[in-house]
């Protein structure tokens, strides 16, 4: 079956530091990959996506590249802000296999001033 | 994109009672899902809400405990029945838009506390 593995949190950084949150996946087909963000007290929002190998998704300074050879979709940002403090979820949707979307366990990011 | 609303946003309920959560979407969508998110945890899929037919439940979730309705393409309800404190959680509705990318859009969630 499909699965998504994320690095455990919390990740604690100072403002303007570089961020990497690792995500690897297992899928039976050719999945689309996503990063969602959940701010405190809110639902999840789509942050970025990539639909095929070597695609790079980007939004709000965040980037992630779909690496089929390493089955990874790591989230990066060059300079984090306090307002980026949230929980980040890696996810996949695989129409070649089960249609059920699969989420990672989430990684909490805390950014200090 | 899609705008999704959920009602209620939060509730405190007594054990043994039931609560129905509503999810309304501003456009017609094919796929609607209900998730549970326990404190500090990831999302657990409860079921896929099917329009005009019975929902498809994931392992560990049953219709008697979590009856779901979806009378049309823009509306669904989830009922949490005979509640216990273990049902305290955030319940999230999500939809998937048609197209090649299959991204999901989430409602703001319903925060349920059972005492």
């Amino acid at each position: 079956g499909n699965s998504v593995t994320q690095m455990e949190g919390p990740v604690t950084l100072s403002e303007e530091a570089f961020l990497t949150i690792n995500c690897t996946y297992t899928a039976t087909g050719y999945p689309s990959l996503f990063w969602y963000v959940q701010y405190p007290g809110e639902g999840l929002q789509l942050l970025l996506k990539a639909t095929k190998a070597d695609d790079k998704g980007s939004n709000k300074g965040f980037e992630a590249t779909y690496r089929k050879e390493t089955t990874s979709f790591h989230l990066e940002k060059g300079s984090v802000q306090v307002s980026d403090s949230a929980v980040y979820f890696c996810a996949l949707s695989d129409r070649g296999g089960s249609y059920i979307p699969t989420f990672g366990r989430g990684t909490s990011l805390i950014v200090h001033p | 994109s899609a705008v999704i609303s959920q009602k209620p946003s939060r509730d405190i309920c007594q054990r043994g009672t039931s609560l129905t959560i509503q999810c309304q979407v501003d456009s017609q969508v094919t796929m609607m899902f209900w998730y549970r998110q326990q404190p500090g945890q990831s999302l657990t899929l409860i079921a896929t809400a099917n329009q005009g037919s019975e929902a498809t439940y994931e392992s560990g979730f049953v219709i008697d405990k979590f009856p779901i309705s979806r009378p049309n393409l823009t509306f669904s309800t989830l009922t949490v029945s005979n509640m216990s404190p273990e049902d305290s959680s955030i319940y999230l509705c999500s939809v998937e838009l048609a197209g090649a990318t299959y991204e999901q859009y989430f409602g703001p969630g319903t925060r349920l506390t059972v005492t």
Side-chain angles (χ1 to χ4, degrees):
Chain A
N2 296 338
S3 67
V4 175
T5 303
Q6 285 181 241
M7 63 187 290
E8 290 203 19
V11 174
T12 305
L13 296 172
S14 298
E15 206 165 24
E16 300 184 2
F18 184 86
L19 168 71
T20 300
I21 299 178
N22 291 337
C23 171
T24 57
Y25 68 89
T26 302
T28 55
Y30 301 95
S32 295
L33 302 175
F34 309 92
W35 278 100
Y36 292 86
V37 59
Q38 185 177 34
Y39 298 103
E42 299 184 11
L44 277 73
Q45 303 173 25
L46 178 66
L47 179 60
L48 54 84
K49 65 186 180 188
T51 59
K52 61 183 186 298
D54 300 325
D55 269 3
K56 177 184 284 187
S58 61
N59 186 26
K60 299 181 180 179
F62 291 90
E63 293 184 339
T65 302
Y66 189 144
R67 301 287 188 198
K68 188 178 178 184
E69 64 277 13
T70 55
T71 61
S72 64
F73 193 55
H74 305 321
L75 181 68
E76 296 181 337
K77 186 174 185 182
S79 176
V80 294
Q81 305 300 311
V82 172
S83 57
D84 293 327
S85 298
V87 180
Y88 292 82
F89 292 91
C90 185
L92 70 83
S93 185
D94 178 9
R95 281 302 176 276
S98 165
Y99 73 94
I100 301 299
T102 304
F103 285 81
R105 62 189 302 158
T107 302
S108 175
L109 171 65
I110 302 168
V111 181
H112 294 294
Chain B
S1 66
V3 176
I4 304 159
S5 60
Q6 281 186 239
K7 289 194 295 187
S9 58
R10 59 178 62 230
D11 207 341
I12 300 173
C13 302
Q14 292 190 341
R15 69 171 66 215
T17 63
S18 298
L19 176 71
T20 295
I21 303 167
Q22 299 180 4
C23 176
Q24 180 74 53
V25 189
D26 69 344
S27 56
Q28 293 187 354
V29 296
T30 51
M31 305 292 283
M32 292 183 76
F33 303 98
W34 286 98
Y35 289 87
R36 181 172 72 185
Q37 185 180 26
Q38 293 178 308
Q41 302 296 315
S42 185
L43 284 71
T44 302
L45 183 64
I46 297 171
T48 303
N50 300 309
Q51 192 261 329
S53 65
E54 190 172 292
T56 304
Y57 289 86
E58 295 302 301
S59 176
F61 298 95
V62 295
I63 188 172
D64 290 346
K65 175 67 176 178
F66 296 101
I68 289 170
S69 78
R70 190 178 172 193
N72 56 53
L73 291 175
T74 64
F75 184 79
S76 178
T77 66
L78 167 73
T79 299
V80 186
S81 304
N82 188 25
M83 288 184 283
S84 66
E86 291 71 36
D87 294 319
S88 296
S89 190
I90 299 172
Y91 292 86
L92 293 160
C93 168
S94 78
V95 304
E96 191 176 274
L97 301 185
T101 57
Y102 306 107
E103 62 227 45
Q104 289 190 62
Y105 294 86
F106 284 83
T110 297
R111 186 177 297 272
L112 171 62
T113 302
V114 183
T115 60

